[in-house]
Amino acid sequence: MSSLFDSDSFPPARESLEDGAVLLRAFATSEAAQLIEGVTRIAQQAAFRHLVVPGGHTMSVAMTNCGRVGWVSDRTGYRYDPLDPDTGKPWPGTPPVFLDLAVRAAADAGFADYDPDACLINRYVAGAKLSLHQDRDEKDPWAPIVSVSLGLPATFLWGGKRRADPVRRLRLESGDVVVWGGPARFVYHGVAPLKNGEHPLTGSARINLTFRKVF
Ligand code: MD3
Ligand code: FE
């Protein structure tokens, strides 16, 4: 007998993307408004900025951070820095609602005792994109990166361990959380240019939080 709640007709809460990568659809939906409030408060102390990468290009994505260290870039290279180079002050603390969500998502995906020390906050407006890259400046190669999508939807690009590997496309919507750890930690990934739109939470923007264990 078939019902609305059969596993083949009900959207699964936990979807395996590949070994080590888990998609948790709508995992953050009930906290989304609180998360955006947190982002607004953080951005009052550490403003969103467009970083310059070593090649000299300015990123279309605007970034800020909270936590013990923040990811920054300039002409000389990338680094995690305990101080915001724009203010000379430490980054704002990570709001408890951020940490709680990241720890629960990691645990749900099979990574117990997650203890991130950085949260990079990316802001996309129409046309903003993130080119295919690996995140490899973090010390623990097994600890996951937990990614939380808020506001406008985006097409996430998700390749393999080599730049030339085929790239899959995954639509990420507000509240979706993806956990990338273990064997999936060093896959190439990026975000396609954001499409125009309006979202009740974020207006014309998409916000992405990525939690990282840096040390
Ligand atoms: C897979 N951010 O901040 S989140 C980044 O939507 C970044 O803003 C994208 O890539 C964004 O570095 C994608 C999903 C994500 C983040 C980090 C990963 C996937 C990942 C690290 C390793 C593997
Ligand atoms: Fe990344």
Side-chain angles (χ1 to χ4, degrees):
M1 192 182 118
S2 161
S3 88
L4 186 60
F5 301 103
D6 281 349
S7 60
D8 59 344
S9 59
F10 199 74
R14 195 192 283 117
E15 205 176 310
S16 175
L17 297 177
E18 65 176 80
D19 205 11
V22 177
L23 169 59
L24 305 166
R25 287 259 186 227
F27 190 86
T29 301
S30 58
E31 293 89 350
Q34 275 179 280
L35 296 171
I36 291 298
E37 277 175 42
V39 169
T40 303
R41 206 145 25 79
I42 289 160
Q44 286 163 357
Q45 300 163 252
F48 280 104
R49 78 288 308 258
H50 295 273
L51 295 167
V52 176
V53 292
H57 288 288
T58 299
M59 297 181 76
S60 59
V61 178
M63 297 180 167
T64 187
N65 294 273
C66 62
R68 284 177 57 202
V69 290
W71 188 87
V72 291
S73 173
D74 58 28
R75 282 185 168 278
T76 68
Y78 314 119
R79 65 185 185 278
Y80 280 101
D81 200 316
L83 301 179
D84 175 352
D86 280 9
T87 62
K89 293 195 285 193
W91 298 98
T94 306
V97 62
F98 281 37
L99 260 185
D100 176 73
L101 179 78
V103 170
R104 280 189 295 112
D108 217 69
F111 296 91
D113 304 315
Y114 188 47
D115 182 24
D117 32 47
C119 176
L120 171 61
I121 305 171
N122 294 331
R123 186 182 66 193
Y124 299 76
V125 296
K129 65 178 171 68
L130 196 59
S131 304
L132 221 54
H133 68 278
Q134 290 173 304
D135 291 45
R136 46 192 316 163
D137 297 334
E138 303 78 20
K139 190 161 171 238
D140 182 344
W142 195 260
I145 289 185
V146 173
S147 144
V148 182
S149 292
L150 298 166
L152 287 180
T155 299
F156 177 69
L157 308 172
W158 150 50
K161 291 187 173 63
R162 288 160 304 180
R163 188 179 283 280
D165 288 339
V167 174
R168 293 153 284 187
R169 298 166 79 88
L170 179 68
R171 185 178 161 92
L172 292 177
E173 297 190 7
S174 192
D176 290 348
V177 175
V178 192
V179 179
W180 304 84
R185 187 59 184 73
F186 295 114
V187 299
Y188 277 89
H189 60 278
V191 177
L194 197 81
K195 293 203 174 108
N196 256 309
E198 278 292 313
H199 192 281
L201 265 183
T202 58
S204 53
R206 169 180 186 256
I207 299 284
N208 180 265
L209 315 177
T210 52
F211 296 90
R212 294 127 190 275
K213 177 108 190 77
V214 176
F215 300 115

